[in-house]
């Protein structure tokens, strides 16, 4: 009887894993040394799509701790295409609400916010695309560093 229940428990676990199967085609995490993001440290994520007709969603997750002194985070984003053309934009990520309370998922003293960076995009050229994120906060210290940013996770999901 015990073997039967183990079998069904294992089978149930496999079904759960299959149900949770996502369409993630790329995921990379950059961990900031000592939870400090220097202005000169640009997060780079190279990605080569499987085909040019598929649509993708691009997701950025930012984990911060309580040493981060702002409620938002400005970032310069750049996408460099295989033909060396590029797009550049400034993005504001909100990490706390209007009352100053951290948002996102909390685990111990760390908070992770997940943002839909780009939705339903296609990659029109074959080859490698290079995504980069550079912190764009106004500098209040000589080194232009941000304390409290733990890590950035960059995910591309096939629709």
């Amino acid at each position: 009887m015990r073997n039967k229940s183990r079998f069904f428990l294992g089978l149930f676990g496999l079904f759960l894993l299959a149900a949770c199967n996502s369409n993630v085609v790329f995921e990379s995490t950059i961990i900031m040394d000592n939870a400090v993001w220097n202005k000169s440290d640009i997060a780079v994520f190279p990605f080569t799509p499987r085909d040019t007709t598929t649509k993708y969603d691009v997701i950025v997750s930012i984990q911060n701790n309580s040493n981060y002194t702002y409620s938002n985070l400005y970032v310069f984003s750049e996408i460099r295409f295989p033909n060396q053309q590029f797009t550049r934009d400034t993005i504001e990520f909100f990490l706390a609400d209007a009352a100053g309370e951290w948002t996102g998922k909390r685990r111990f003293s760390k908070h992770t916010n997940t943002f839909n960076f780009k939705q339903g995009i296609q990659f029109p050229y074959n080859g490698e695309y290079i995504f980069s994120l550079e912190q764009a906060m106004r500098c209040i210290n000589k080194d232009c560093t941000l304390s409290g940013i733990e890590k950035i996770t960059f995910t591309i999901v096939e629709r």
Side-chain angles (χ1 to χ4, degrees), residues 88-152:
R88 189 165 168 90
D89 201 0
T90 304
I91 303 161
E92 181 179 18
F93 296 114
F94 290 97
L95 306 178
D97 61 21
E101 297 295 321
W102 296 118
T103 57
K105 291 182 183 177
R106 180 181 178 168
R107 183 170 181 174
F108 303 109
S109 63
K110 299 174 189 212
H111 307 271
T112 303
N113 285 277
T114 302
F115 304 96
N116 292 319
F117 175 55
K118 301 278 184 186
Q119 295 182 12
I121 65 169
Q122 287 182 277
F123 298 103
Y125 308 106
N126 288 317
E128 184 179 64
Y129 290 76
I130 299 174
F131 291 82
S132 62
L133 300 174
E134 174 186 355
Q135 67 102 331
M137 299 293 283
R138 290 190 178 141
C139 297
I140 59 171
N141 56 37
K142 187 174 94 173
D143 299 327
C144 213
T145 59
L146 291 178
S147 293
I149 299 295
E150 298 266 340
K151 65 182 178 179
I152 299 172

Side-chain angles (χ1 to χ4, degrees), residues 18-145:
C20 294
N21 185 13
S22 67
N23 294 328
V24 173
V25 295
F26 177 83
E27 186 167 77
S28 180
T29 299
I30 294 180
I31 298 172
M32 305 300 173
D33 289 337
N34 300 315
V36 173
W37 192 359
N38 294 306
K39 182 75 171 173
S40 60
D41 295 337
I42 299 173
V44 177
F45 306 96
F47 171 68
T48 303
R50 290 185 251 198
D51 70 59
T52 59
T53 61
T54 301
K55 290 189 178 187
Y56 298 90
D57 293 335
V58 180
I59 301 162
V60 174
S61 296
I62 299 169
Q63 184 179 85
N64 67 287
N65 62 38
S66 58
N67 291 331
Y68 190 68
T69 57
Y70 305 99
S71 62
N72 63 348
L73 172 67
Y74 281 98
V75 172
F76 295 131
S77 89
E78 183 177 287
I79 305 170
R80 188 160 297 275
F81 296 80
N83 64 0
Q84 297 309 308
Q85 290 183 340
F86 66 93
T87 63
R88 189 165 168 90
D89 201 0
T90 304
I91 303 161
E92 181 179 18
F93 296 114
F94 290 97
L95 306 178
D97 61 21
E101 297 295 321
W102 296 118
T103 57
K105 291 182 183 177
R106 180 181 178 168
R107 183 170 181 174
F108 303 109
S109 63
K110 299 174 189 212
H111 307 271
T112 303
N113 285 277
T114 302
F115 304 96
N116 292 319
F117 175 55
K118 301 278 184 186
Q119 295 182 12
I121 65 169
Q122 287 182 277
F123 298 103
Y125 308 106
N126 288 317
E128 184 179 64
Y129 290 76
I130 299 174
F131 291 82
S132 62
L133 300 174
E134 174 186 355
Q135 67 102 331
M137 299 293 283
R138 290 190 178 141
C139 297
I140 59 171
N141 56 37
K142 187 174 94 173
D143 299 327
C144 213
T145 59

Side-chain angles (χ1 to χ4, degrees), residues 1-16:
M1 187 63 130
R2 195 173 224 179
N3 287 340
K4 257 188 182 180
S5 58
R6 282 186 186 168
F7 171 77
F8 285 114
L9 187 60
L11 190 60
F12 179 71
L14 285 174
F15 281 123
L16 280 177

